[in-house]
Amino acid sequence: MRHRLRGRKLGRNSSHRKAMFRNMACSLIRTARIDEDDPQRPKVAGRIVTTTPKAKELRPFVEKLVTLAKGASAHEQAAAEFQTDAEKGTDAWRAWRDSDEWQSWVNAISPAVSLRRRAFSLLRDNAAVSVLFDELAGQFSDRNGGYTRIVRLPNVRLGDAGEQSLIEFVGVRDRVKSKKRSAPVVEQAGEADSPAESEAAES
């Protein structure tokens, strides 16, 4: 019995599962940024198709990465007030480097750097980390969890008839709740005409 054993094995050992989720997460995150000049660009941004069990296991992996990126954005904003606009290597940049503002900037930005390194250790892909921290963190800044959705597809996979689903980031193709439709207003019927008016109308 597999009591208290969390997660699906998916017919793979632990190292194979780890590599698979890393590749799938990189594919999902990198599709959020589409290069129009790329001939192999995805048709829809922020979406991949996989089997339903894999999508269910991938979802918490990706959402924890988005939470890491959101935590770094606050530290990056705090460090922005100590940052300089001078180009690296110039005299102005060297003066800033020797000042107390540089030390304040280092202290403010170091938690964000640590979070980027944690994300890179999970993804091992610089492009995916860049998209995660530079774009997705700002996209979900006002959302507390639930960054992805799983939609089951009617078509099964050829070969083994595996149930397929798509996993995508929310916020772009969300359904808009329609306003409640109310019953049409029926005009109140007027009072019954008096007998004299009825006779006059008939004549």
Side-chain angles (χ1 to χ4, degrees):
M1 290 182 289
R2 297 185 68 249
H3 294 175
R4 299 174 65 90
L5 294 178
R6 180 173 166 272
R8 298 170 175 83
K9 291 187 177 180
L10 301 172
R12 293 163 173 81
N13 58 24
S14 60
S15 61
H16 192 170
R17 278 195 308 274
K18 185 176 180 181
M20 181 183 68
F21 289 138
R22 173 184 297 158
N23 292 335
M24 292 173 66
C26 288
S27 298
L28 178 61
I29 292 169
R30 291 181 69 165
T31 56
R33 178 192 293 169
I34 292 184
D35 184 7
E36 296 298 334
D37 299 331
D38 186 5
Q40 296 181 346
R41 64 183 180 274
K43 293 180 180 179
V44 181
R47 172 190 290 181
I48 61 171
V49 177
T50 182
T51 59
T52 302
K54 286 181 187 176
K56 288 182 177 181
E57 291 297 312
L58 177 64
R59 187 175 187 181
F61 185 83
V62 172
E63 295 199 354
K64 287 172 186 174
L65 288 169
V66 176
T67 303
L68 277 180
K70 285 177 61 179
S73 61
H75 298 291
E76 290 173 351
Q77 291 174 3
E81 61 179 288
F82 304 110
Q83 196 170 3
T84 182
D85 296 332
E87 187 177 351
K88 187 174 182 179
T90 60
D91 294 335
W93 183 83
R94 290 191 187 95
W96 171 75
R97 178 70 189 270
D98 295 334
S99 66
D100 293 335
E101 283 191 351
W102 179 80
Q103 191 62 43
S104 301
W105 177 80
V106 168
N107 293 335
I109 201 68
S110 58
V113 174
S114 176
L115 291 170
R116 279 183 180 262
R117 287 174 176 169
R118 284 177 59 189
F120 180 77
S121 69
L122 294 171
L123 294 175
R124 309 300 295 178
D125 189 314
N126 283 319
V129 172
S130 174
V131 174
L132 181 66
F133 282 78
D134 298 340
E135 298 180 15
L136 294 178
Q139 180 179 339
F140 298 118
S141 59
D142 298 331
R143 192 179 186 98
N144 296 324
Y147 312 116
T148 58
R149 74 165 66 91
I150 296 173
V151 180
R152 296 176 189 244
L153 299 177
N155 300 327
V156 297
R157 186 169 60 182
L158 295 176
D160 62 352
E163 183 185 9
Q164 289 187 303
S165 295
L166 62 86
I167 179 170
E168 64 179 357
F169 290 109
V170 301
V172 179
R173 290 166 295 277
D174 294 344
R175 292 182 184 174
V176 179
K177 289 186 178 180
S178 59
K179 296 179 181 178
K180 277 191 173 181
R181 293 191 304 170
S182 57
V185 178
V186 179
E187 295 181 0
Q188 297 293 333
E191 295 181 4
D193 297 334
S194 61
E197 291 177 351
S198 300
E199 291 175 1
E202 290 175 359
S203 62

